[in-house]
């Protein structure tokens, strides 16, 4: 399975957080991680709460709730890691790396997000010619969204209250051409 959880934004908002965490924990266990630690569960709970609050407060929520897709723990087979959250919009791929309990944006965290973006851009077939927006979110930071050039890409660094602002910037793109989210989720990774 390429992701632990996938749904429309609307269904995600309406589903109980406990149910979502249960699905994530079940998939995590199925992947062989038998000793699920409380820290991971707490991180998922915080992640879900931050995203739900951000979407609920969007002025254009009604326009995107059934069109945008949210994905938790998307597997990148080439490096054996999972992206915390991916949001597929009309024409963009938003990649969010959550750092639960973190106040600062470390270089190591930026490298992790950078590598995810490079793997999607260079090897994920359905990401070709799509704009990828990488966001590093530190849950304990009060940082307003700020662009940060890291290597050759622009990362958005933000605290938990800034995610809504980042999403709001994409209101102008709501009429852009849509792409097939299910094809993206099932896409092959093609090494060079």
């Amino acid at each position: 399975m390429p992701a632990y959880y996938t749904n429309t934004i609307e269904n995600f908002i309406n589903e109980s957080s406990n149910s979502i965490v249960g699905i994530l924990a079940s998939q995590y266990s199925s992947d062989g991680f038998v000793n699920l630690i409380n820290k991971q569960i707490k991180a998922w709970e915080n992640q879900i709460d931050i995203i739900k609050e951000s979407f609920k407060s969007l002025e254009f929520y009604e326009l995107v709730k059934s069109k945008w897709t949210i994905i938790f723990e998307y597997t990148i087979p080439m490096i054996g890691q999972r992206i915390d959250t991916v949001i597929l919009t009309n024409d963009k791929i938003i990649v969010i790396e959550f750092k639960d309990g973190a106040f600062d944006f470390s270089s190591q965290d930026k490298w992790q997000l950078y590598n995810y973006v490079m793997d999607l851009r260079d090897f994920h077939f359905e990401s070709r010619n799509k704009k990828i927006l990488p966001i590093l979110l530190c849950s304990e930071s009060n940082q307003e969204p700020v662009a940060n050039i890291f290597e050759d890409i622009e990362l958005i660094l933000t605290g938990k209250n800034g995610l809504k602002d980042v999403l709001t910037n994409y209101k102008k793109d709501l009429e852009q051409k849509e792409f097939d989210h299910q094809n993206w989720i099932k896409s092959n990774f093609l090494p060079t």
Side-chain angles (χ1 to χ4, degrees):
M1 174 176 262
Y4 286 4
Y5 178 89
T6 302
N7 221 327
T8 64
I9 295 297
E10 180 177 26
N11 290 339
F12 163 72
I13 296 291
N14 292 328
E15 189 168 356
S16 79
S17 295
N18 286 340
S19 173
I20 297 168
V21 169
I23 292 167
L24 293 169
S26 174
Q27 292 298 322
Y28 192 76
S29 178
S30 294
D31 265 358
F33 301 103
V34 184
N35 296 324
L36 184 64
I37 54 175
N38 289 335
K39 184 178 178 183
Q40 180 60 63
I41 290 174
K42 183 67 176 160
W44 283 329
E45 290 171 345
N46 289 340
Q47 201 174 328
I48 291 164
D49 289 344
I50 289 169
I51 295 172
K52 280 188 175 191
E53 288 306 311
S54 296
F55 270 103
K56 286 179 186 177
S57 62
L58 287 178
E59 293 176 13
F60 57 94
Y61 170 72
E62 291 297 319
L63 298 175
V64 302
K65 67 182 185 180
S66 63
K67 294 181 180 180
W68 289 11
T69 300
I70 188 162
I71 303 163
F72 285 98
E73 303 294 337
Y74 185 75
T75 302
I76 298 183
M78 299 180 67
I79 59 175
Q81 293 185 329
R82 294 177 311 279
I83 300 172
D84 289 339
T85 305
V86 176
I87 298 171
L88 303 177
T89 71
N90 290 27
D91 68 333
K92 289 183 183 51
I93 302 155
I94 300 174
V95 176
I96 307 173
E97 180 59 28
F98 278 85
K99 293 304 171 186
D100 192 54
F103 293 88
D104 301 315
F105 304 91
S106 74
S107 290
Q108 179 181 349
D109 297 337
K110 292 175 186 177
W111 272 112
Q112 182 181 10
L113 181 55
Y114 174 84
N115 286 326
Y116 290 160
V117 171
M118 293 299 101
D119 282 331
L120 288 177
R121 184 191 77 182
D122 296 340
F123 305 119
H124 188 266
F125 185 75
E126 291 293 329
S127 292
R128 293 170 308 151
N129 304 316
K130 305 267 187 312
K131 178 158 174 60
I132 301 173
L133 174 68
I135 301 171
L136 181 58
L137 191 152
C138 291
S139 70
E140 301 306 311
S141 173
N142 291 321
Q143 173 73 53
E144 294 294 322
V146 62
N148 179 262
I149 301 299
F150 187 79
E151 293 300 308
D152 59 346
I153 65 169
E154 182 178 276
L155 307 178
I156 303 295
L157 310 180
T158 188
K160 66 180 177 182
N161 296 325
L163 182 58
K164 175 194 169 206
D165 295 333
V166 175
L167 295 172
T168 297
N169 285 333
Y170 292 92
K171 181 177 182 181
K172 63 184 178 293
D173 297 330
L174 293 179
E175 301 304 321
Q176 296 291 330
K177 181 179 178 184
E178 294 182 39
F179 65 97
D180 188 317
H181 292 177
Q182 289 305 313
N183 284 346
W184 189 92
I185 292 164
K186 296 174 187 173
S187 178
N188 291 324
F189 277 83
L190 304 172
T192 55

